[in-house]
Protein backbone atom coordinates (compact mmCIF):
# COMPACT_ATOMS: atom_id res chain seq x y z
CA UNK A 1 0.00 0.00 0.00
CA UNK A 2 1.28 3.44 -0.95
CA UNK A 3 0.69 6.63 1.04
CA UNK A 4 -1.34 9.56 -0.28
CA UNK A 5 0.23 12.38 -2.29
CA UNK A 6 -1.72 15.58 -1.58
CA UNK A 7 -1.16 18.63 -3.77
CA UNK A 8 0.55 21.63 -2.17
CA UNK A 9 -2.70 23.51 -1.46
CA UNK A 10 -4.19 20.47 0.30
CA UNK A 11 -0.94 19.88 2.21
CA UNK A 12 -0.96 23.49 3.44
CA UNK A 13 -4.45 23.00 4.91
CA UNK A 14 -3.22 19.78 6.57
CA UNK A 15 -0.27 21.70 8.04
CA UNK A 16 -2.32 24.64 9.32
CA UNK A 17 -5.58 22.99 10.38
CA UNK A 18 -5.14 19.24 10.80
CA UNK A 19 -2.06 19.05 13.03
CA UNK A 20 0.35 17.72 10.40
CA UNK A 21 4.07 18.52 10.71
CA UNK A 22 6.44 19.15 7.79
CA UNK A 23 9.27 16.61 7.48
CA UNK A 24 11.84 18.11 5.12
CA UNK A 25 14.18 15.42 3.76
CA UNK A 26 16.31 17.80 1.66
CA UNK A 27 20.00 18.26 2.52
CA UNK A 28 20.84 20.19 5.68
CA UNK A 29 22.40 22.92 3.50
CA UNK A 30 19.18 23.37 1.46
CA UNK A 31 17.07 23.34 4.63
CA UNK A 32 19.37 25.80 6.40
CA UNK A 33 19.22 28.18 3.42
CA UNK A 34 15.41 28.20 3.31
CA UNK A 35 12.58 26.32 4.99
CA UNK A 36 8.99 26.76 6.10
CA UNK A 37 8.77 28.99 9.15
CA UNK A 38 5.00 29.32 9.76
CA UNK A 39 3.31 27.91 11.69
CA UNK A 40 6.27 28.02 14.13
CA UNK A 41 7.93 24.75 15.15
CA UNK A 42 6.05 22.85 12.45
CA UNK A 43 9.04 21.70 10.42
CA UNK A 44 12.07 19.47 10.95
CA UNK A 45 14.92 18.39 8.73
CA UNK A 46 15.94 14.74 8.51
CA UNK A 47 18.11 14.59 5.37
CA UNK A 48 17.81 11.59 3.08
CA UNK A 49 20.87 11.70 0.81
CA UNK A 50 20.26 11.51 -2.95
CA UNK A 51 20.34 7.91 -4.11
CA UNK A 52 19.98 6.46 -0.61
CA UNK A 53 17.11 4.05 -0.06
CA UNK A 54 15.10 5.09 3.00
CA UNK A 55 15.74 2.24 5.42
CA UNK A 56 16.12 1.59 9.13
CA UNK A 57 18.69 4.38 9.68
CA UNK A 58 16.38 6.98 8.09
CA UNK A 59 13.38 5.76 10.12
CA UNK A 60 15.49 5.84 13.31
CA UNK A 61 16.57 9.44 12.56
CA UNK A 62 12.95 10.48 12.04
CA UNK A 63 12.12 8.70 15.31
CA UNK A 64 14.53 11.03 17.14
CA UNK A 65 12.33 13.97 16.10
CA UNK A 66 8.81 12.51 15.87
CA UNK A 67 6.81 9.74 17.53
CA UNK A 68 5.09 7.25 15.26
CA UNK A 69 1.77 8.88 16.22
CA UNK A 70 2.85 12.16 14.55
CA UNK A 71 1.04 13.26 11.39
CA UNK A 72 3.76 13.94 8.80
CA UNK A 73 3.93 15.74 5.46
CA UNK A 74 7.11 14.43 3.79
CA UNK A 75 8.81 16.65 1.20
CA UNK A 76 12.06 16.55 -0.72
CA UNK A 77 13.26 18.96 -3.44
CA UNK A 78 10.96 17.96 -6.29
CA UNK A 79 8.74 15.17 -5.00
CA UNK A 80 10.76 12.32 -6.53
CA UNK A 81 12.06 10.80 -3.25
CA UNK A 82 9.34 11.76 -0.78
CA UNK A 83 7.09 8.86 -1.77
CA UNK A 84 9.74 6.26 -0.91
CA UNK A 85 10.52 8.00 2.37
CA UNK A 86 6.82 8.21 3.30
CA UNK A 87 6.26 4.57 2.36
CA UNK A 88 9.22 3.52 4.58
CA UNK A 89 7.78 5.50 7.51
CA UNK A 90 4.31 4.04 6.93
CA UNK A 91 5.79 0.52 6.90
CA UNK A 92 7.57 1.35 10.19
CA UNK A 93 4.30 2.25 11.91
CA UNK A 94 3.72 5.92 11.08
CA UNK A 95 0.01 5.74 10.26
CA UNK A 96 -0.56 9.39 9.27
CA UNK A 97 2.16 10.10 6.73
CA UNK A 98 1.80 11.61 3.24
CA UNK A 99 4.22 12.64 0.48
CA UNK A 100 3.77 16.23 -0.75
CA UNK A 101 3.23 16.23 -4.53
CA UNK A 102 6.04 18.17 -6.23
CA UNK A 103 8.02 18.59 -3.00
CA UNK A 104 9.46 21.79 -1.58
CA UNK A 105 9.96 23.33 -5.05
CA UNK A 106 6.23 23.07 -5.81
CA UNK A 107 5.42 24.49 -2.35
CA UNK A 108 7.64 27.53 -2.95
CA UNK A 109 6.02 28.25 -6.33
CA UNK A 110 2.71 28.85 -4.53
CA UNK A 111 3.63 29.94 -0.99
CA UNK A 112 6.42 31.87 0.74
CA UNK A 113 8.33 30.35 3.67
CA UNK A 114 5.90 32.12 6.02
CA UNK A 115 2.90 30.59 4.27
CA UNK A 116 1.67 33.59 2.31
CA UNK A 117 0.40 32.97 -1.18
CA UNK A 118 2.86 34.27 -3.78
CA UNK A 119 1.54 36.98 -6.09
CA UNK A 120 1.02 35.85 -9.67
CA UNK A 121 3.98 36.25 -12.02
CA UNK A 122 3.75 38.96 -14.67
CA UNK A 123 3.66 42.72 -14.69
CA UNK A 124 0.97 45.25 -13.98
CA UNK A 125 -0.16 47.31 -16.97
CA UNK A 126 -2.52 50.26 -17.16
CA UNK A 127 -6.03 49.52 -18.37
CA UNK A 128 -7.10 53.14 -18.48
CA UNK A 129 -8.03 55.76 -15.89
CA UNK A 130 -7.67 54.38 -12.37
CA UNK A 131 -7.18 50.75 -13.37
CA UNK A 132 -4.45 48.23 -13.96
CA UNK A 133 -4.31 44.59 -14.82
CA UNK A 134 -1.82 41.74 -14.62
CA UNK A 135 -0.43 40.68 -18.00
Amino acid sequence: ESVRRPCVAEAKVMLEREGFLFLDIRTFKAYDREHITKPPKCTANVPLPEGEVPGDAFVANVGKKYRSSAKLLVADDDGSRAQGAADALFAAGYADVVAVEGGYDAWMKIFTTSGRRRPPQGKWVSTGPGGESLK
Side-chain angles (χ1 to χ4, degrees):
E1 183 183 351
S2 191
V3 300
R4 279 190 328 122
R5 290 184 66 101
C7 69
V8 169
E10 185 184 351
K12 182 156 188 308
V13 170
M14 295 166 79
L15 181 69
E16 292 180 340
R17 300 201 184 120
E18 297 177 21
F20 275 77
L21 300 164
F22 199 88
L23 176 61
D24 193 326
I25 63 170
R26 296 175 302 146
T27 64
F28 173 76
K29 206 173 203 175
Y31 178 83
D32 193 45
R33 187 170 46 246
E34 177 182 80
H35 61 271
I36 293 171
T37 57
K38 297 257 172 91
K41 298 181 181 148
C42 70
T43 182
N45 179 229
V46 178
L48 179 64
E50 194 76 44
E52 185 178 303
V53 176
D56 293 342
F58 171 72
V59 171
N61 286 334
V62 172
K64 292 174 188 171
K65 305 234 182 211
Y66 297 121
R67 291 189 175 120
S68 61
S69 60
K71 298 176 174 184
L72 299 177
L73 297 167
V74 181
D76 59 358
D77 295 294
D78 59 6
S80 61
R81 297 175 307 125
Q83 185 73 50
D87 286 342
L89 291 168
F90 184 78
Y94 287 80
D96 283 324
V97 60
V98 298
V100 178
E101 187 72 48
Y104 190 79
D105 295 347
W107 189 284
M108 293 309 292
K109 283 184 180 138
I110 300 172
F111 301 108
T112 65
T113 56
S114 64
R116 291 202 172 131
R117 191 170 278 281
R118 289 193 182 277
Q121 296 298 308
K123 63 180 183 181
W124 291 97
V125 294
S126 176
T127 56
E132 56 183 10
S133 173
L134 191 66
K135 285 265 184 201

